[in-house]
């Protein structure tokens, strides 16, 4: 990423969603636009989930996920933070839009639930009404 930004998220997710994110996604052919992979950060216990464009390999989003300790009801995990590319071809991407994009992409490709979040229309993906053209 050339101009990464990081923001806290604090989003609780289910065990099923954790497993889907950890399993990731390899595109089946050249029509697949995204590659999703997970990396254990063994020292911290966190898991990094990387969303990259399959054609270029360029990372666009990274989620930092911390598995719950299992003492509370349902273990699951928390997405503690998101890292995203702020500058997409001269359009400044806000935190809110980055989070929305990740939800739409992972729901569509992995069938994730994100029960705690509203349903977003797939047309909201790459639709940046709040983006600032030419912002750095």
């Amino acid at each position: 990423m050339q101009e990464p930004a990081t923001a806290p998220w604090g989003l609780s997710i289910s065990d099923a969603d954790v497993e889907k994110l950890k399993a990731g996604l390899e595109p089946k052919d050249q029509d697949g636009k995204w590659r999703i992979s997970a990396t254990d950060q063994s020292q911290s216990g966190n898991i990094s989930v990387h969303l990259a464009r399959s054609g270029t390999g360029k990372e666009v989003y990274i989620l930092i996920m911390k598995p719950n300790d299992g003492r509370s009801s349902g273990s699951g995990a928390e997405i503690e933070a998101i890292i995203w590319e702020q500058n997409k071809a001269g359009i400044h991407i806000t935190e809110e839009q980055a989070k929305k994009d990740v939800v739409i992409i992972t729901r569509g490709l992995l069938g994730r639930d994100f029960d705690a979040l509203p349903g977003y229309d797939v047309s909201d993906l790459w639709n940046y009404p709040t983006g600032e053209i030419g912002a750095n």
Side-chain angles (χ1 to χ4, degrees):
M1 290 185 205
Q2 294 181 346
E3 294 182 37
T6 302
W9 198 334
L11 176 65
S12 293
I13 61 173
S14 69
D15 285 331
D17 284 347
V18 170
E19 292 308 312
K20 288 175 187 175
L21 282 173
K22 286 171 56 176
L25 173 76
E26 273 299 314
K28 294 178 182 165
D29 55 38
Q30 66 187 44
D31 291 333
K33 305 291 185 216
W34 292 97
R35 175 174 285 114
I36 301 173
S37 61
T39 305
D40 283 329
Q41 300 173 348
S42 57
Q43 290 179 331
S44 68
N46 289 348
I47 299 166
S48 297
V49 179
H50 305 263
L51 285 81
R53 298 299 286 175
S54 61
T56 63
K58 182 179 177 183
E59 281 188 328
V60 183
Y61 308 101
I62 301 171
L63 303 177
I64 307 300
M65 191 168 58
K66 182 166 186 71
N68 291 333
D69 58 14
R71 287 182 280 172
S72 59
S73 61
S75 48
E78 179 178 293
I79 298 177
E80 291 187 324
I82 181 173
I83 303 167
W84 74 99
E85 176 62 67
Q86 293 183 89
N87 185 353
K88 287 187 186 171
I91 299 174
H92 178 75
I93 306 305
T94 65
E95 173 186 341
E96 178 182 4
Q97 186 65 50
K99 289 176 179 177
K100 186 184 291 187
D101 288 351
V102 165
V103 170
I104 293 169
I105 291 165
T106 58
R107 277 180 175 161
L109 294 176
L110 302 176
R112 294 212 33 214
D113 294 326
F114 282 122
D115 290 334
L117 296 174
Y120 297 122
D121 190 283
V122 74
S123 66
D124 288 337
L125 183 63
W126 307 114
N127 181 13
Y128 303 127
T130 59
E132 301 169 17
I133 296 177
N136 290 328

